Amino acid sequence: MKSILMSKGARTIVEVCAGVKPNEQVLVITEPKMINIAESIAAAVVAAGAEPTMAMMTPRTSDGQEPPAPIAAAMKESNVFISAVYTSITHTKAVKNAVDAGSRGIMLTQFHDEMLIEGGVHADFKAIEPTCRAVANALEGANEIRLTTPHGTDLILSATGRRSNAMPCMVVPGEFAPVPTVEANVSPLEGSAHGVIVADASIPYIGIGLLDEPVKVTVENGMIVSISGGKQANILAENLASKNDPQVYNIAEIGVGLNPNCKFIGSMLEDEGVFGSVHIGIGTNITLGGNVKAACHYDLIMTGATIVADGKVILQNGEVLV
């Protein structure tokens, strides 16, 4: 019975999000832990009249680690690649190279069976798309973006000359999108961010998930210089230090969640999509328009945010104004 219920969400991902057409070649990348999701997606690919190829890989040891070379090569050759993995390969050269070659990518990181049955995947993506693109347009190339929240966030950054990314969960050739996290984002200029970030909602990585207490991050010259809070803050600080890579402290992204069907559940792609939430990405930014390839990419998620870009209010207390 569960597989039947999962099939509707799988077909939405394949037919609406990826736009799979008959006779296309679709690469489904997975790992053993995610085989149920991968098989549901592959069945939906068959139902759409396309040909799926399943690529099983050893789970990556950390988020952002490159997939094996044969899988990276297959991604470039595919019409569509769908990544159903637990440890993220989203912010990798393999994804960047595949979309640069014209493939369409869908990322289903940390998906579990229930996410195909209910939640963000059942949103009306076509109806949300205009808002997503409007927010992205407002962020694009902004000389100064200021982010504040009632919880203590006060961060200023610059996106001068940077493209934004509208991710309405529907892709065309040369694009990838995480599903179901409808979002608009931009990667700020390296070195431009300064101020304070207070994540009050979620850090859906490395076992942290929903936050029991706020995590405070101080930023200078585009880099994190301190992390404070309770146990969860210590987990983040220790994990980043263990990477032995100074670029993991880079402020990589400011993103706005825009999916009204998403809820905070401690899972990456649901939490980042919650309508009106804001996340600050840290580490890698090469897939978003930046120049940094770090050992990881994590997102710090907050609520009640206000964003002002070059004097224009985009978001006020979590309400979209564009």
Side-chain angles (χ1 to χ4, degrees):
M1 183 64 180
K2 178 181 277 192
S3 62
I4 295 173
L5 295 174
M6 291 168 63
S7 65
K8 182 180 178 181
R11 292 194 69 162
T12 295
I13 290 168
V14 169
E15 297 175 12
V16 177
C17 300
V20 171
K21 303 174 183 66
N23 302 316
E24 285 194 309
Q25 297 295 315
V26 180
L27 179 68
V28 182
I29 307 157
T30 194
E31 58 185 71
K33 186 174 183 176
M34 300 284 288
I35 192 64
N36 283 354
I37 300 296
E39 289 179 345
S40 291
I41 295 297
V45 170
V46 172
E51 182 173 8
T53 299
M54 296 271 285
M56 178 75 72
M57 68 178 183
T58 303
R60 305 294 84 188
T61 57
S62 62
D63 292 302
Q65 183 183 1
E66 296 290 329
I71 290 180
M75 291 165 67
K76 288 182 65 175
E77 294 299 319
S78 67
N79 298 116
V80 176
F81 63 91
I82 300 176
S83 173
V85 299
Y86 192 82
T87 305
S88 175
I89 61 167
T90 300
H91 298 280
T92 59
K93 292 178 181 177
V95 169
K96 184 179 187 300
N97 292 340
V99 297
D100 285 350
S103 188
R104 314 192 299 276
I106 297 293
M107 319 308 290
L108 305 178
T109 307
Q110 293 183 15
F111 245 68
H112 51 76
D113 295 357
E114 288 70 23
M115 288 174 67
L116 286 179
I117 298 171
E118 59 183 356
V121 76
H122 297 294
D124 186 342
F125 297 119
K126 292 181 180 178
I128 300 168
E129 183 178 15
T131 299
C132 183
R133 297 202 180 278
V135 174
N137 288 341
L139 291 171
E140 183 157 341
N143 293 315
E144 181 181 280
I145 300 171
R146 185 176 184 184
L147 167 67
T148 58
T149 73
H151 310 285
T153 294
D154 193 348
L155 185 73
I156 295 175
L157 45 82
S158 175
T160 301
R162 284 280 164 91
R163 66 171 171 85
S164 62
N165 304 286
M167 295 182 169
C169 291
M170 297 181 295
V171 292
V172 297
E175 293 182 345
F176 79 94
V179 174
T181 176
V182 177
E183 68 173 89
N185 65 54
V186 70
S187 182
L189 292 174
E190 293 80 5
S192 70
H194 59 277
V196 176
I197 301 163
V198 180
D200 66 287
S202 174
I203 302 177
Y205 301 82
I206 55 175
I208 297 177
L210 300 179
L211 294 175
D212 299 324
E213 55 188 322
V215 174
K216 180 179 178 181
V217 175
T218 302
V219 178
E220 296 177 2
N221 300 316
M223 305 291 280
I224 294 171
V225 295
S226 69
I227 300 172
S228 60
K231 180 179 179 181
Q232 291 167 311
N234 291 337
I235 292 172
L236 177 63
E238 291 170 5
N239 179 271
L240 292 176
S242 74
K243 303 296 184 183
N244 294 314
D245 177 6
Q247 297 293 356
V248 300
Y249 298 103
N250 173 56
I251 300 302
E253 169 195 9
I254 178 170
V256 181
L258 295 167
N259 188 331
N261 287 44
C262 282
K263 299 177 181 179
F264 287 117
I265 62 173
S267 180
M268 181 195 312
L269 297 183
E270 282 278 341
D271 291 7
E272 292 174 9
V274 171
F275 194 91
S277 68
V278 171
H279 55 274
I280 294 296
I282 63 175
T284 295
N285 64 10
I286 59 167
T287 57
L288 302 174
N291 302 310
V292 172
K293 177 65 175 84
C296 63
H297 177 102
Y298 300 151
D299 292 293
L300 316 181
I301 309 175
M302 61 208 73
T303 59
T306 295
I307 297 177
V308 181
D310 288 344
K312 181 179 181 178
V313 181
I314 299 173
L315 192 72
Q316 188 169 49
N317 301 322
E319 297 294 325
V320 176
L321 298 185
V322 295

